[in-house]
Amino acid sequence: QVQLEESGGGTVQAGGSLRLSCAASTYNHMTYCMGWFRQAPGKEREGVVGIDMNGRTSYAESVKGRFTISRANANNLFLQMNSLKPEDTAMYYCAAVWCDSDHTWDWAMSTGPNYGMDYWGKGTLVIISS
C-alpha cells in the first residue's frame, strides 16, 4: 500500500520555474517505480517523466531538457520544472507502481490500465501565464 501526496504547484509566468514534491507513505517493504503525469483542461492525461529503481529516467519529448526528475530516497520524489510554457498548464499527479530492480519505467507504464500505475496522488495544480 502506498499513499502519495503532491505539493509545490502554483501560478508562474512563462519562462519561470517550479519545483514539485511527492511524499510517499509506504506500509510494506516493496520497491516502487515513481513518476509524474499531467492532465490539461480538455486533454487526456499524459506521462511526463518516470524513474526506475536504478535511477534511469524516461521523459516525454515535450518536457525533455526543461524538466528534471529526482528521487532523494524511496519515499520522496521531485520534479524541477524550468523554462515553463503556457502549454505546461495542467494538474500534475504523482504516481507509483511496484517495480523490480531490473524493470524500466516504460515497462511499468505498460503493465495495465492507468499507465500501469496502482497508486495516485490527488494532484497539484500548475498554471503558467503568458
Side-chain angles (χ1 to χ4, degrees):
Q1 181 178 322
V2 179
Q3 184 175 337
L4 305 174
E5 184 174 8
E6 306 95 336
S7 62
T11 301
V12 67
Q13 191 174 11
S17 298
L18 284 174
R19 183 175 174 84
L20 306 184
S21 300
C22 175
S25 298
T26 60
Y27 302 95
N28 55 50
H29 294 95
M30 301 293 182
T31 56
Y32 299 90
C33 289
M34 298 180 69
W36 295 92
F37 297 80
R38 67 184 182 186
Q39 187 166 18
K43 296 185 178 180
E44 298 295 323
R45 188 171 299 187
E46 63 177 350
V48 177
V49 60
I51 187 167
D52 65 22
M53 297 308 300
N54 294 308
R56 295 174 296 191
T57 58
S58 182
Y59 291 85
E61 197 66 31
S62 60
V63 306
K64 194 174 298 182
R66 299 188 298 119
F67 292 9
T68 303
I69 192 172
S70 60
R71 191 170 185 173
N73 50 55
N75 298 324
N76 291 276
L77 185 72
F78 304 95
L79 182 65
Q80 181 65 46
M81 308 164 65
N82 298 328
S83 301
L84 286 162
K85 305 175 181 179
E87 51 262 44
D88 294 319
T89 295
M91 185 73 74
Y92 283 72
Y93 299 90
C94 177
V97 66
W98 173 86
C99 263
D100 211 338
S101 60
D102 57 347
H103 293 141
T104 65
W105 175 252
D106 289 340
W107 170 86
M109 290 183 64
S110 71
T111 57
N114 298 314
Y115 297 96
M117 302 295 109
D118 289 328
Y119 307 99
W120 293 83
K122 294 182 179 180
T124 185
L125 183 62
V126 172
I127 299 175
I128 312 302
S129 61
S130 300

